[in-house]
Amino acid sequence: MKDYSFDELLAFNCFSEDPAEQAKAAELLEFRYGCEIHCADMDRSVRFAHHARGCTVVAAKICANVIIYQNVTIGSNMRYNKIQETWEQVGSPILAKNVIVADGAKVLGPITIGENTVIGAGAIITKDIPANSVAFGVNQYKPKDPTYDLVFNPNMISGEEIMAIDAQRVADFNKKQEGH
């Protein structure tokens, strides 16, 4: 494969009908971006922030307009019951439409994340989360405040604006430190 972009490699990996092309794209995604992405059914509108750096994504289904940030793990949480000699909790997550999975979150097991839900940074989620929620901590959630978008909005502030705000914050911090 020539020098394809992340988006091109993702398309080959997730949507190609050619197993050899899929395998090569998967290999390049892991080598170049440190990510592994395998999904039985993924909408083409799914987006990965920061080229999915550090992500391991093994999902049953990821629906339209899902956004996944860096260092996210989505996968199984199965276990083997030695007494009953059977596997339990078999299956991978389903992420409904408009879900956002923030930095470092873990979404594990045969669970469903409801529409318009935000999985907070660093959250560990192993249980179903209802639609229109904010999930955080370990299996905690609360209703999402409809007056706010968390983590992402299509009308995103520019990187330059954020850097200018941070530069001012640093200047204010340094000024306070000099006074002590």
Side-chain angles (χ1 to χ4, degrees):
M1 278 190 162
K2 68 176 189 118
D3 194 26
Y4 290 107
S5 71
F6 172 80
D7 290 332
E8 290 170 321
L9 289 173
L10 181 67
F12 289 133
N13 181 57
C14 297
F15 306 113
S16 175
E17 299 291 326
D18 179 357
E21 189 174 64
Q22 277 185 321
K24 185 62 177 172
E27 180 182 312
L28 288 171
L29 281 169
E30 188 163 357
F31 177 74
R32 292 183 188 165
Y33 301 101
C35 65
E36 182 180 351
I37 302 169
H38 300 283
C39 185
D41 184 0
M42 185 169 90
D43 191 87
R44 289 183 179 269
S45 66
V46 171
R47 294 290 169 252
F48 291 88
H50 309 290
H51 302 110
R53 294 213 187 268
C55 288
T56 299
V57 176
V58 181
K61 182 175 181 74
I62 303 177
C63 297
N65 302 315
V66 168
I67 299 171
I68 299 170
Y69 280 77
Q70 68 274 9
N71 297 314
V72 165
T73 300
I74 298 172
S76 73
N77 191 25
M78 61 187 188
R79 63 184 180 203
Y80 186 74
N81 183 322
K82 293 190 273 184
I83 295 169
Q84 295 180 0
E85 296 181 349
T86 186
W87 284 98
E88 298 173 346
Q89 296 176 205
V90 176
S92 302
I94 295 173
L95 281 62
K97 291 191 286 187
N98 307 315
V99 168
I100 297 172
V101 184
D103 317 43
K106 312 297 180 222
V107 180
L108 305 169
I111 63 172
T112 300
I113 306 301
E115 287 186 18
N116 306 311
T117 290
V118 174
I119 306 297
I124 300 172
I125 306 300
T126 61
K127 299 188 183 307
D128 290 348
I129 301 296
N132 302 305
S133 296
V134 177
F136 57 95
V138 178
N139 292 321
Q140 301 293 308
Y141 67 91
K142 63 182 181 181
K144 189 171 152 186
D145 183 339
T147 60
Y148 289 96
D149 278 336
L150 304 174
V151 185
F152 179 82
N153 178 284
N155 187 23
M156 202 67 161
I157 187 171
S158 74
E160 291 80 15
E161 290 173 289
I162 295 169
M163 289 177 12
I165 290 167
D166 282 346
Q168 184 60 53
R169 292 184 65 241
V170 169
D172 292 347
F173 173 83
N174 289 343
K175 194 173 189 178
K176 284 181 186 177
Q177 293 301 307
E178 291 169 7
H180 284 81

